[in-house]
C-alpha cells in the first residue's frame, strides 16, 4: 500500500474524530487525503492567519459529510482550529459541526451537506472572481486573481443541481474553477454501479469542461500533473476524476459502504494505524515534524504580502478603482444611496395609476442599478415576466467576463445556489428571480441562504391565484407560508409601488440573511398614506387606514388583498363602525418590533380581527386568534381569469365585510 505520512495525518485525525464522536463519515476523508495534501500544501493560495484575505483561493467541500477532512486540513495548515476542537467533533456548540458551517469555523467558505450545492456555490464564487477581474484588473495589475477549488463525490454528481450548474459553468467559461471528483463508486447503499452508470467524463466534456479521466487519487505525482494542467487552461472549467478507495488504509472496511457513514470501530482504528505504518497509538497525535511540513502560515503570509504590495501599487496608479474595489469587498454601501432612493420612493406616493408590484420592482431596479455598480442578478428564463432587466443592465459575456445581468435559463435551483456562492465570495449585491410557484425548485438553496445568514434577494413574481389562466400548476398557495416559516428568511409582499420600493430598500439593508420579495402579476391600486405611515412601512406592518378613535375591528391584509380590506373598511365606516386596516407586507419584520409598537398597531384589546390574503389561510391564526376570521385559500387554484378566481374562492371585499360584521 502506498503511504504518504502527510496525507496519513489527515486519515488519522479524521478517523479518530469520527471514532470519538461515534458518528460521522470516515471513508471519504481517508480516500481523498492524498488529493487534499497536494492541493492544500503545494498549490492553493491561502493564509491561515488571515482566512478572509480577499485574493485567497476558495475551497468548497461539496461532499460535506467528509467534514473531518476539512477540519483536519484547517488544523494541520495552521488555522485557528485546535486539536481540542477536533476532539469535540459533532458535539454541542463545538466549532467542528457534523457538516461544515459558514461563520462557525475559520477557513470554511460555505455551509455544505445537501449534496451538489457546494458545487453550485463554487460556480458562483468562480463567476464572482471572473466578473470582478474583468472590472478591476489592469495591465500588470491582476489584483483579482484566484482560483476556486471544489471536492465532490458520487452523491453530488447524482443530484440534479450538478447538471444545472455544471452546464452554466461551461457556458460561462469559468476557467479558474477546478473540481476534484472523488470517484470511489460507493454510497450509503453500497456500490453505485447499480444506480449510477452515467459517463461522467463525456457529460462534462459536453458541457464544455476540460476533463482529466481516471487519475489515481492516491498518486501525488499524477494528481499534481493533472492539477497543473487544469490551472494552465483558464478558458474552460476543469474536472479531475480521481479513482480512489473509500476508507483507504482500513484493512477490513476500505472499498465498502461500511466505512461511508459510520465509525470504523476501535479494533479497526488500531488496524489502520498498523496498516499505514503510523507509529503513534495516542489518539489525535501528530508529530512535530509533520506539523512543520504542513504549516502554511509562513507561505500564506508571503503570498498575501506579495499581493498587498501589488495592490498598493495599483492603488497609486488607479486610486478610484482601488477605492471602489475596497468598498465592494468590504460590503460597504455607496454613499447617499438610501437618500437618493428615498426621494424616488416618495415621488411614487402621488401616482394614481395601478401598477403591478413586479413592474414596481423593475422601477426600483432602474434606480438601484444606477446607484449600485455591484448589482448582479438575473432570472431563471423569465425576465420578460419577472421584469428583472433594468435600464443599463448588460448581459454577462463569457468571453470578457463583463456584464451584470445573468440569464440562468430554466434552472431555478442552480440559480439560487450559485447566487449563494456569489454572496459568499463578496463584492456584489446579488438577486435572482422566478415565479413564486417555482420557488419550490430552489427551496433548499433558499434554506441554505437563511441558514448561513447571507444577504441574497429573491424576487418571486406571480404571487397568487391572481396570475389567472395558467391554473393551479402555476398558482402558489402554500409557498408564502413555507417561506415565512423558514427561520431567518424575511418575506415582503407589498401592496403597491411604494411598499415595493421599501421592500427593496429593506432587503438591501439586511445583512444577516436573505429576503424574498413576493410580487403580483396584476395591477395594484396605489394607497394614500402620510409621511409617518411611509416611514412605518419598514417596520413590517402599520396602520394604513382608520375610521373612529378606537377600532372595533381590525382588518389585516398583504399585497393585492390590501385593496380588498380598504374597500371593506370604507363600507364599514359608512355604517359608523370604527375600523382599522393594517397593511402587513412583512410579518417577520413586524414580529421583531418592540412590544409597544406591536401593541399600537394590533392592540390586544381588539379581539375582532379579519385577515385576508390569497394564500394558505391557516398562517394567519397567529395574528387573528382562534376566534378571528381568515379570508384565504384552503385548496389549490383553478384555471380562469383572476377576477373570476377571486370570486370563486371567496376572496373579495364583500367576504371581508361580512366576516367583520359577523365578528361584531
Amino acid at each position: 500500500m502506498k503511504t504518504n505520512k502527510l496525507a496519513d495525518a489527515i486519515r488519522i485525525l479524521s478517523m479518530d474524530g469520527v471514532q470519538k464522536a461515534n458518528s460521522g463519515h470516515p471513508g471519504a476523508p481517508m480516500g481523498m487525503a492524498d488529493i487534499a495534501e497536494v492541493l492544500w500544501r503545494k498549490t492553493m493560495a491561502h493564509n491561515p492567519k488571515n482566512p478572509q484575505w480577499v485574493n485567497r483561493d476558495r475551497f468548497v467541500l461539496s461532499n460535506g459529510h467528509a467534514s473531518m477532512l476539512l477540519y483536519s486540513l484547517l488544523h494541520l495548515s495552521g488555522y485557528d482550529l485546535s486539536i481540542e476542537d477536533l476532539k469535540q467533533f459533532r458535539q454541542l456548540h463545538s466549532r467542528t459541526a457534523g457538516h461544515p458551517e459558514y461563520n462557525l469555523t475559520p477557513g470554511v467558505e460555505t455551509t455544505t451537506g445537501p449534496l451538489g450545492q457546494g458545487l453550485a456555490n463554487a460556480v458562483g464564487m468562480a463567476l464572482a472572481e471572473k466578473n470582478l477581474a474583468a472590472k478591476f484588473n489592469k495591465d500588470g495589475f491582476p489584483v483579482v486573481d484566484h482560483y476556486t477549488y471544489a471536492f465532490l463525490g458520487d452523491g453530488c454528481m447524482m443530484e440534479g443541481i450538478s447538471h444545472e450548474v455544471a452546464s452554466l459553468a461551461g457556458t460561462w467559461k469559468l476557467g479558474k474553477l477546478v473540481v476534484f471528483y472523488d470517484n470511489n463508486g460507493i454510497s450509503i447503499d453500497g456500490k453505485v454501479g447499480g444506480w449510477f452508470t452515467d459517463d461522467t467524463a463525456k457529460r462534462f466534456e459536453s458541457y464544455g469542461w476540460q476533463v482529466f479521466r481516471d487519475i489515481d487519487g492516491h498518486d501525488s505525482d499524477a494528481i499534481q500533473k493533472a492539477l497543473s494542467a487544469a490551472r494552465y487552461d483558464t478558458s474552460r472549467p476543469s474536472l479531475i476524476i480521481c479513482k480512489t478507495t473509500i476508507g483507504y488504509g482500513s484493512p477490513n472496511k476500505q472499498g465498502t459502504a461500511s466505512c461511508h457513514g459510520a465509525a470504523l470501530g476501535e479494533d479497526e482504528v488500531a488496524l489502520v494505524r498498523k496498516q499505514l505504518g503510523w507509529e503513534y497509538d495516542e489518539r489525535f497525535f501528530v508529530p512535530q515534524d509533520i506539523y512543520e511540513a504542513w504549516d502554511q502560515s509562513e507561505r500564506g503570509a508571503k503570498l498575501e504580502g506579495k499581493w498587498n504590495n501589488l495592490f498598493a501599487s495599483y492603488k497609486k496608479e488607479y486610486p478610484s478603482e482601488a477605492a471602489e474595489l475596497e468598498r465592494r469587498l468590504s460590503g460597504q454601501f455607496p454613499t447617499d444611496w438610501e437618500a437618493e432612493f428615498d426621494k424616488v420612493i416618495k415621488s411614487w406616493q402621488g401616482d394614481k395609476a395601478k401598477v403591478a408590484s413586479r413592474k414596481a420592482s423593475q422601477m426600483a431596479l432602474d434606480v438601484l442599478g444606477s446607484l449600485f455598480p455591484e448589482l448582479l442578478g438575473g432570472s431563471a428564463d423569465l425576465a420578460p415576466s419577472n421584469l428583472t432587466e433594468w435600464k443599463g443592465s448588460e448581459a454577462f459575456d463569457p468571453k470578457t467576463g463583463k456584464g451584470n445581468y445573468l440569464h440562468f435559463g430554466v434552472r431555478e435551483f442552480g440559480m439560487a445556489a450559485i447566487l449563494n456562492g456569489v454572496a459568499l465570495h463578496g463584492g456584489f449585491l446579488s438577486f435572482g428571480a422566478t415565479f413564486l410557484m417555482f420557488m419550490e425548485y430552489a427551496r433548499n438553496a433558499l434554506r441554505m441562504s437563511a441558514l448561513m445568514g447571507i444577504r441574497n434577494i429573491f424576487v418571486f413574481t406571480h404571487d397568487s391565484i391572481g396570475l389567472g389562466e395558467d391554473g393551479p400548476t402555476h398558482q402558489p398557495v402554500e409557498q408564502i407560508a413555507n417561506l415565512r416559516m423558514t427561520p431567518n428568511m424575511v418575506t415582503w409582499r407589498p401592496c403597491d409601488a411604494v411598499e415595493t420600493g421599501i421592500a427593496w430598500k429593506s432587503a438591501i439593508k439586511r445583512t444577516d440573511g436573505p429576503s424574498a420579495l413576493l410580487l403580483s402579476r396584476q395591477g395594484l391600486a396605489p394607497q394614500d398614506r402620510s409621511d409617518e405611515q411611509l416611514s412605518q412601512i419598514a417596520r413590517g406592518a402599520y396602520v394604513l387606514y382608520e375610521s373612529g378613535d378606537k377600532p372595533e375591528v381590525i382588518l389585516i391584509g398583504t399585497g393585492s388583498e390590501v385593496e380588498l380590506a380598504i374597500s371593506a373598511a370604507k363600507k364599514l365606516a359608512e355604517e359608523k363602525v370604527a375600523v382599522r386596516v393594517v397593511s402587513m407586507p412583512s410579518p417577520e419584520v413586524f414580529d421583531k418590533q418592540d412590544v409597544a409598537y406591536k401593541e399600537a398597531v394590533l392592540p390586544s384589546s381588539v379581539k375582532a380581527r379579519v385577515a385576508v390574503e390569497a394564500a394558505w389561510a391557516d398562517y394567519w391564526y397567529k395574528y387573528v386568534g382562534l376566534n378571528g376570521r381568515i379570508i384565504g385559500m384552503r385548496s389549490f387554484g383553478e384555471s380562469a381569469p383572476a377576477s373570476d378566481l377571486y370570486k370563486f374562492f371567496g376572496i373579495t371585499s364583500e367576504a371581508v365585510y361580512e366576516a367583520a360584521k359577523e365578528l361584531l
Side-chain angles (χ1 to χ4, degrees):
M1 172 173 281
K2 302 174 185 174
T3 57
N4 174 349
K5 292 302 179 186
L6 298 177
D8 288 344
I10 298 172
R11 296 184 173 102
I12 295 298
L13 291 175
S14 295
M15 73 172 185
D16 282 353
V18 173
Q19 189 60 44
K20 185 175 186 299
N22 196 28
S23 174
H25 299 74
M30 296 171 73
M32 297 193 77
D34 296 295
I35 305 168
E37 188 268 330
V38 170
L39 178 63
W40 276 66
R41 277 193 66 250
K42 301 176 182 178
T43 308
M44 204 166 76
H46 61 119
N47 184 2
K49 302 310 177 188
N50 182 14
Q52 298 305 311
W53 170 36
V54 297
N55 201 49
R56 68 191 180 279
D57 289 341
R58 269 60 169 182
F59 175 79
V60 176
L61 186 71
S62 188
N63 48 342
H65 56 272
S67 54
M68 271 305 302
L69 169 66
L70 181 52
Y71 299 146
S72 299
L73 287 166
L74 293 168
H75 171 71
L76 292 167
S77 298
Y79 286 77
D80 180 23
L81 196 68
S82 69
I83 201 71
E84 292 303 316
D85 288 322
L86 268 60
K87 290 179 181 179
Q88 292 302 306
F89 178 54
R90 291 192 166 215
Q91 304 309 299
L92 185 64
H93 302 317
S94 77
R95 298 204 294 169
T96 48
H99 291 80
E101 293 187 22
Y102 174 71
N103 263 348
L104 176 66
T105 313
V108 172
E109 301 282 2
T110 179
T111 300
T112 54
L115 295 176
Q117 284 195 66
L119 173 61
N121 296 164
V123 171
M125 293 173 187
L127 171 68
E129 190 275 344
K130 182 169 184 172
N131 192 254
L132 281 175
K135 173 72 175 176
F136 290 101
N137 285 357
K138 305 292 182 181
D139 288 343
F141 293 97
V143 291
V144 180
D145 182 22
H146 52 268
Y147 285 81
T148 301
Y149 299 101
F151 283 2
L152 55 80
D154 292 301
C156 294
M157 285 296 191
M158 284 185 255
E159 287 288 358
I161 191 173
S162 72
H163 296 254
E164 295 183 24
V165 302
S167 175
L168 281 169
T171 298
W172 290 340
K173 302 184 184 303
L174 301 180
K176 295 173 81 174
L177 172 64
V178 179
V179 175
F180 289 87
Y181 168 28
D182 179 31
N183 185 20
N184 61 44
I186 296 292
S187 68
I188 290 177
D189 277 0
K191 294 182 179 180
V192 301
W195 49 86
F196 183 48
T197 59
D198 301 15
D199 189 328
T200 299
K202 284 185 178 179
R203 172 184 152 197
F204 275 75
E205 285 170 350
S206 74
Y207 292 147
W209 287 55
Q210 178 182 210
V211 178
F212 299 86
R213 300 168 179 250
D214 298 326
I215 303 301
D216 184 345
H218 304 297
D219 184 334
S220 297
D221 291 339
I223 297 165
Q224 184 65 68
K225 183 178 179 181
L227 179 55
S228 298
R231 286 167 50 88
Y232 181 77
D233 183 352
T234 57
S235 66
R236 298 175 290 171
S238 296
L239 177 69
I240 302 175
I241 302 176
C242 294
K243 296 294 294 183
T244 65
T245 301
I246 191 170
Y248 187 86
S250 173
N252 298 307
K253 296 188 176 184
Q254 70 175 24
T256 70
S258 61
C259 64
H260 186 293
L264 297 178
E266 295 291 352
D267 292 343
E268 192 69 13
V269 164
L271 289 175
V272 171
R273 281 178 157 76
K274 184 176 181 181
Q275 179 83 354
L276 296 176
W278 192 259
E279 301 171 9
Y280 315 97
D281 293 330
E282 181 183 349
R283 299 297 166 85
F284 297 97
F285 177 78
V286 177
Q288 190 59 34
D289 61 328
I290 290 182
Y291 271 125
E292 291 173 358
W294 259 107
D295 189 19
Q296 296 293 296
S297 300
E298 182 178 349
R299 174 174 170 268
K302 288 180 179 178
L303 289 170
E304 183 175 357
K306 183 179 179 181
W307 181 85
N308 287 338
N309 292 334
L310 174 69
F311 191 75
S313 299
Y314 176 81
K315 203 169 184 176
K316 291 178 181 178
E317 192 76 17
Y318 303 99
S320 61
E321 288 88 345
E324 176 66 5
L325 179 58
E326 287 181 315
R327 180 192 70 77
R328 288 176 58 167
L329 290 173
S330 69
Q332 295 298 309
F333 297 122
T335 305
D336 298 330
W337 80 270
E338 192 172 352
E340 291 297 317
F341 193 40
D342 281 343
K343 291 177 186 177
V344 175
I345 295 173
K346 193 167 185 179
S347 73
W348 294 344
Q349 186 58 63
D351 293 345
K352 298 301 180 184
K354 282 193 171 187
V355 177
S357 51
R358 61 170 176 159
K359 178 59 180 177
S361 173
Q362 186 178 50
M363 291 158 53
L365 281 168
D366 285 342
V367 179
L368 295 169
S370 65
L371 297 174
F372 285 90
E374 62 263 50
L375 186 64
L376 178 72
S379 177
D381 197 53
L382 292 169
S385 296
N386 295 149
L387 302 182
T388 44
E389 292 177 297
W390 66 93
K391 293 176 182 177
S393 62
E394 178 185 353
F396 176 76
D397 184 347
K399 293 181 181 178
T400 65
K402 296 180 179 180
N404 54 11
Y405 192 84
L406 301 167
H407 292 278
F408 289 97
V410 188
R411 301 181 181 95
E412 296 87 357
F413 193 4
M415 172 185 71
I418 285 171
L419 290 172
N420 285 345
V422 171
L424 289 162
H425 180 280
F428 294 94
L429 173 60
S430 51
F431 78 91
T434 185
F435 289 172
L436 177 56
M437 183 66 247
F438 303 130
M439 173 279 292
E440 295 288 358
Y441 285 123
R443 175 79 183 94
N444 201 260
L446 270 62
R447 184 179 187 274
M448 295 302 291
S449 184
L451 178 64
M452 288 188 277
I454 56 176
R455 179 178 57 209
N456 249 332
I457 301 172
F458 298 103
V459 177
F460 296 124
T461 69
H462 297 60
D463 67 345
S464 73
I465 58 170
L467 68 87
E469 291 85 347
D470 276 335
T473 61
H474 284 53
Q475 292 166 5
V477 172
E478 73 276 25
Q479 284 66 38
I480 297 178
N482 188 313
L483 287 166
R484 287 175 179 156
M485 289 188 294
T486 302
N488 201 38
M489 175 67 72
V490 166
T491 65
W492 289 88
R493 190 169 185 250
C495 76
D496 64 0
V498 171
E499 283 192 2
T500 304
I502 297 297
W504 263 106
K505 186 176 80 166
S506 300
I508 291 169
K509 292 178 67 176
R510 185 178 189 223
T511 59
D512 61 351
S515 300
L517 310 187
L518 315 176
L519 308 174
S520 73
R521 175 181 184 267
Q522 71 272 38
L524 305 181
Q527 300 297 328
D528 295 327
R529 53 176 70 84
S530 65
D531 288 346
E532 182 181 7
Q533 288 170 317
L534 179 63
S535 69
Q536 292 172 340
I537 296 173
R539 303 190 75 168
Y542 63 104
V543 178
L544 178 61
Y545 172 89
E546 191 154 40
S547 70
D549 296 329
K550 183 179 179 181
E552 300 171 70
V553 62
I554 298 175
L555 312 180
I556 308 170
T558 78
S560 48
E561 288 71 67
V562 168
E563 184 178 351
L564 303 181
I566 293 288
S567 178
K570 289 181 177 179
K571 187 174 180 180
L572 289 165
E574 290 174 358
E575 299 175 4
K576 308 304 180 184
V577 174
V579 59
R580 170 179 291 185
V581 174
V582 171
S583 177
M584 191 180 287
S586 180
E588 301 88 355
V589 172
F590 177 67
D591 287 348
K592 291 183 179 180
Q593 302 305 305
D594 60 81
V595 173
Y597 182 77
K598 288 189 286 187
E599 178 66 19
V601 174
L602 294 176
S604 54
S605 60
V606 183
K607 305 298 184 183
R609 301 182 184 188
V610 181
V612 56
E613 186 177 57
W616 191 246
D618 286 357
Y619 172 80
W620 288 98
Y621 281 117
K622 65 184 290 189
Y623 297 108
V624 304
L626 293 178
N627 295 319
R629 298 292 183 269
I630 304 169
I631 309 300
M633 296 293 294
R634 296 186 184 279
S635 69
F636 294 114
E638 294 276 353
S639 179
S643 58
D644 293 344
L645 291 170
Y646 273 81
K647 291 176 184 177
F648 177 76
F649 288 108
I651 304 174
T652 63
S653 61
E654 290 80 7
V656 178
Y657 167 82
E658 292 294 342
K661 291 287 284 185
E662 181 183 339
L663 288 172
L664 292 170

